[in-house]
Amino acid sequence: MRHPWRAIGTWLLLVVAAVACGTAVSMHTTTDADYRVGQSGAAARQIEAAGLDAPDTEYIVLSAQAGGTVDADVRAAAGRIAADAQRDSQVARVAAPVTSPDKHLVIVPITMKTVAAGKHPDITGITKIVGDAQPRAPGVHIVQTGETSLNKAVNKRVGNDLGSAESTSMPITIVLMLIVFAALAAAGIPVLLAIASVFGAMGLMGPISLLLPMEPTVTSVILLIGMAVGVDYSLFYLKRERQERQRGASTANAVEIAAATSGHSIVVSGFAVIVSMGGLYAVGDVTFSSIATGSIIVVAFAVCGSLTVLPALLTKLGSKVDRPRIPLLWRLSSRMRPGAFSSRLLGPVLRRPVTALLAGGVLLLALAVPALSMKQQTSSLDSLPQDIPAVRAMQQVGVAFPGDGPTTTVVLHDRSAAQVDKDARAVQDKAVATGDWKQVPKAMHASADGRTAVLTLGSKAPEGSFAAGAAVRELRDTVVPAAVSDTGTTWAVGGDVASSYDQMHHQSTGLPKVLILVLGLTLLMMAVTFRSVVIALLTTALNLLSVGAAFGVLTLVFQHNWAESMLHFHSTGGIISWIPIFLFVVLMGLSMDYHVFVLSRVKERYDAGMPPKLAVRQGVSETAGVVTSAAVVMISVFALFASLSMVEMKEIGVGLSVAIALDATVVRLVLLPAALSVLGRWAWWPSRRQGTRHAARPVEPSDYAPLEPVRAR
């Protein structure tokens, strides 16, 4: 680096400018209209065009604290709340308190005033009324629920969980970096660069969201991906620079060698992650597009920082990067021979590579088998944290008042208002006759001209369940067509239950597109990078094995209830539908980190003149410490997500942690070296051995000193 201060200044200016953009332009988040897909999306647009949008309703749920049937105190509290709510300026009307058929609940339905599309009504007044009512009724349990209050409660829980994860992950990452480097400066640089990349990416989300609305949870993904790759890339670079200095290279030469070797690996790894995350655009879903955009930007920041400000800092610091040292840790790390532990494991693998390859493959295949029975479903009340009062209250309302449970809607339109009314009643009769649907109060709503009607049907199956999806399919394929055949009435089935089904179906059908795109591009990228078709096919196959094993473990843990008490969640018998796609692209990208880094070192040794098997042993041994350290950092961050309340976050945490652990152990220490050993020189076909300009040093006899004798191929 000839001008280190310029590089440092430019990087700081870039981060500050990005953060300033985020401050000046707040992130434009998605609205309900952005999530519309399939037939339910068409139904929602028809309802909106006809002016039949149902205003949001809040429910105040009251019951006796001691349990049992409602008494005079419960009814009196409900009456006071209804009277107070009527005076709120945001309330359109308040229905009279209604007692459930089983006499255990009283609800006060409060219809809010209509607000602009994509907005939620202001319920702060209602929340205050409920808060003031509780002390006045000590023997009554009062809970507010409804779409708006439920969303607020869930979002608050998610925010608290993520805040806790962020505050915990930072100290853990710093401690791990201190253990790895045993020096404060070297430990702090990767963390600071990762944090800077995260803040820079979050800042750019504001301007970008003006073109592409962002899912609110994209900031969590940026933090997750940014900390993982940011620390990893700096770790790769710092470790290589330190190794070269310890071998006698000057600071300038050490930085130059690290730039040509680890820097090249970082570029390839970063590109692999970007390619993988870019595959999410193929789904055509606003959530996945947001995740892809945030991930690509934070990875680009991390790569840029690793190639500019990191070498500049190392050039200025020189050997001072290893100061101040932590005495005990420094002595331990200086005495530990690089690759000492991994070499003991590699010995048996390289002696019997075919056996090792079969054993490792069988293990991952066995773990992957449960994934064949994976069932996907959308998020629902049952998958939300059950200790949120608004969630439990909404479930109680759905059970006690069938008309207020999960529903779907059938939108019908015809030139004749009489025909629309006739067809709607026919649809209702046939739907109820199936046994999957039930009548609800005030089921019919018609537009002013009567030519568009909305029929609401109550679902007997929970929203997002497999039974609900089957009922929606039958409604669309059989019930409605039979009821309106030869009448000329156009129709669409929408509503909450149908929308959940359409979301799941849309994401499921998008998975093959993502698979083809991501696998094809990463295969091409690896072939171009290493000029070897064999290496490209091998790494892709190993990545698929580790991803399949992670999916199998995910299915075992979350599709069954044996891990509920351990992870504190409620199993709904399936996996949230967007999780497999997300995990696949993330794992394909992150797995490439290890493959590129390890294979680059093996290829470097091979090009420097080592026999293939010895190049494998040397390359894997030299990178073992770095890859293990990076994996431990990733696993520690991802594992925190398994402790959060939301089942989606738990599934992400478990899936990523398991995959990274398998990738850093079974794949890196067993399958990859065993496969390379079996293939020998053919692993690099059709490329030829070539000299390496930036090899760490010429091949010396000491490079061949094995802990256990191995035979060169």
Side-chain angles (χ1 to χ4, degrees):
M1 296 294 294
R2 297 180 180 178
H3 306 287
W5 287 118
R6 291 183 186 178
I8 296 171
T10 302
W11 169 254
L12 290 175
L13 183 62
L14 175 64
V15 174
V16 170
V19 173
C21 286
T23 304
V25 182
S26 59
M27 191 169 72
H28 178 57
T29 57
T30 53
T31 63
D32 291 342
D34 294 316
Y35 297 94
R36 293 172 182 170
V37 295
Q39 194 177 128
S40 61
R45 288 188 290 271
Q46 291 178 26
I47 291 173
E48 190 175 283
L52 293 172
D53 283 327
D56 286 355
T57 301
E58 288 292 298
Y59 299 98
I60 314 303
V61 183
L62 302 94
S63 58
Q65 288 276 18
T69 58
V70 298
D71 53 20
D73 291 338
V74 175
R75 294 189 178 91
R80 289 193 298 269
I81 290 174
D84 292 341
Q86 195 68 262
R87 294 190 288 270
D88 189 278
S89 61
Q90 301 299 317
V91 172
R93 63 181 180 274
V94 180
V98 182
T99 303
S100 64
D102 63 4
K103 309 297 183 183
H104 283 80
L105 291 179
V106 172
I107 64 167
V108 181
I110 302 173
T111 304
M112 309 303 295
K113 289 184 177 178
T114 303
V115 294
K119 302 293 183 181
H120 292 288
D122 181 6
I123 61 169
T124 53
I126 302 300
T127 303
K128 186 178 185 305
I129 289 172
V130 172
D132 293 341
Q134 186 63 79
R136 297 164 58 188
V140 181
H141 182 61
I142 308 175
V143 182
Q144 178 182 352
T145 190
E147 183 179 352
T148 303
S149 55
L150 186 61
N151 285 338
K152 288 184 68 175
V154 172
N155 290 337
K156 182 179 179 181
R157 173 64 63 85
V158 171
N160 292 338
D161 282 351
L162 292 176
S164 175
E166 291 169 13
S167 61
T168 306
S169 65
M170 291 299 176
I172 291 176
T173 303
I174 292 172
V175 169
L176 291 173
M177 288 296 97
L178 287 173
I179 294 173
V180 171
F181 290 105
L184 292 179
I189 288 174
V191 178
L192 290 175
L193 286 181
I195 292 174
S197 298
V198 169
F199 277 107
M202 287 184 178
L204 290 182
M205 286 295 99
I208 292 175
S209 68
L210 298 177
L211 303 174
L212 177 67
M214 291 293 155
E215 168 80 27
T217 56
V218 71
T219 54
S220 305
V221 176
I222 290 175
L223 175 67
L224 186 76
I225 303 297
M227 290 303 297
V229 300
V231 171
D232 269 15
Y233 295 163
S234 299
L235 186 60
F236 294 163
Y237 205 109
L238 276 165
K239 276 286 191 179
R240 185 59 187 262
E241 190 271 347
R242 175 187 276 187
Q243 286 178 359
E244 298 305 326
R245 279 193 292 105
Q246 290 174 344
R247 289 170 174 170
S250 65
T251 296
N253 287 339
V255 172
E256 183 183 359
I257 294 172
T261 54
S262 293
H264 177 263
S265 299
I266 289 170
V267 172
V268 176
S269 298
F271 186 68
V273 178
I274 289 173
V275 165
S276 295
M277 300 307 299
L280 289 176
Y281 290 118
V283 182
D285 182 270
V286 65
T287 299
F288 288 128
S289 296
S290 299
I291 291 173
T293 302
S295 301
I296 289 171
I297 291 175
V298 76
V299 171
F301 259 101
V303 171
C304 182
S306 299
L307 299 181
T308 56
V309 69
L310 180 56
L313 286 171
L314 293 177
T315 300
K316 295 303 297 181
L317 290 173
S319 60
K320 293 180 182 177
V321 74
D322 293 330
R323 300 284 194 280
R325 298 172 178 174
I326 302 174
L328 179 59
L329 289 176
W330 182 264
R331 285 196 296 270
L332 289 174
S333 63
S334 61
R335 292 176 182 176
M336 188 175 298
R337 179 184 173 185
F341 177 72
S342 62
S343 294
R344 296 180 181 179
L345 295 178
L346 277 174
V349 170
L350 296 180
R351 282 203 315 273
R352 297 181 179 84
V354 175
T355 302
L357 193 60
L358 290 175
V362 169
L363 173 62
L364 292 188
L365 286 173
L367 289 175
V369 167
L372 298 175
S373 63
M374 178 187 289
K375 298 178 181 178
Q376 297 183 39
Q377 57 184 196
T378 57
S379 181
S380 63
L381 284 174
D382 290 338
S383 66
L384 293 174
Q386 299 297 296
D387 59 342
I388 297 179
V391 172
R392 297 298 299 273
M394 184 62 81
Q395 290 173 324
Q396 290 174 331
V397 169
V399 172
F401 300 91
D404 294 310
T407 60
T408 199
T409 57
V410 182
V411 186
L412 303 104
H413 178 77
D414 192 87
R415 295 180 180 179
S416 168
Q419 185 64 52
V420 168
D421 182 72
K422 179 181 177 182
D423 287 342
R425 296 184 186 281
V427 169
Q428 179 174 257
D429 292 341
K430 288 183 177 295
V432 172
T434 64
D436 295 325
W437 306 96
K438 54 194 174 186
Q439 287 183 296
V440 301
K442 299 179 181 179
M444 292 280 293
H445 294 84
S447 59
D449 59 7
R451 294 169 56 189
T452 301
V454 177
L455 169 67
T456 302
L457 297 169
S459 172
K460 292 186 177 181
E463 180 184 339
S465 66
F466 309 115
V472 169
R473 288 196 302 271
E474 184 181 7
L475 196 64
R476 289 173 173 172
D477 298 341
T478 305
V479 176
V480 180
V484 301
S485 60
D486 302 327
T487 65
T489 299
T490 60
W491 56 272
V493 176
D496 293 339
V497 176
S499 178
S500 295
Y501 169 76
D502 285 344
Q503 282 286 346
M504 182 181 66
H505 184 261
H506 180 70
Q507 292 166 0
S508 298
T509 54
L511 183 57
K513 301 176 186 177
V514 175
L515 286 172
I516 294 171
L517 184 62
V518 172
L519 290 176
L521 290 176
T522 52
L523 192 69
L524 178 63
M525 184 203 69
M526 293 298 286
V528 171
T529 299
F530 292 99
R531 301 177 183 178
S532 169
V533 175
V534 178
I535 287 293
L537 292 172
L538 174 63
T539 54
T540 301
L542 293 179
N543 281 344
L544 287 175
L545 266 179
S546 62
V547 170
F551 280 8
V553 173
L554 195 70
T555 303
L556 286 175
V557 172
F558 291 98
Q559 201 160 294
H560 306 283
N561 57 14
W562 59 269
E564 284 182 334
S565 59
M566 181 172 61
L567 292 177
H568 304 290
F569 74 98
H570 171 66
S571 175
T572 56
I575 306 298
I576 303 301
S577 59
W578 65 272
I579 296 295
I581 300 179
F582 174 76
L583 288 180
F584 173 76
V585 296
V586 172
L587 292 174
M588 285 296 293
L590 295 182
S591 295
M592 284 297 178
D593 276 1
Y594 301 147
H595 285 303
V596 170
F597 190 64
V598 174
L599 287 171
S600 295
R601 190 67 68 92
V602 173
K603 186 70 162 58
E604 182 184 333
R605 289 300 186 184
Y606 175 69
D607 286 342
M610 276 191 176
K613 184 173 285 190
L614 296 178
V616 170
R617 188 197 63 188
Q618 192 72 13
V620 174
S621 296
E622 288 181 348
T623 56
V626 183
V627 173
T628 301
S629 301
V632 170
V633 172
M634 280 193 182
I635 293 171
S636 66
V637 173
F638 296 153
L640 289 174
F641 280 74
S643 66
L644 304 185
S645 300
M646 301 293 291
V647 70
E648 291 98 326
M649 296 294 106
K650 291 181 183 293
E651 290 175 359
I652 289 174
V654 171
L656 291 177
S657 299
V658 169
I660 296 299
L662 292 173
D663 207 58
T665 53
V666 179
V667 174
R668 176 179 60 85
L669 293 177
V670 179
L671 293 179
L672 181 61
L676 292 175
S677 179
V678 170
L679 292 168
R681 291 181 175 85
W682 288 103
W684 309 102
W685 183 85
S687 67
R688 297 180 180 179
R689 192 196 300 262
Q690 54 186 330
T692 304
R693 178 184 174 188
H694 292 288
R697 55 196 167 104
V699 178
E700 299 174 357
S702 60
D703 290 326
Y704 295 89
L707 291 176
E708 299 180 63
V710 294
R711 180 177 300 172
R713 290 178 63 93

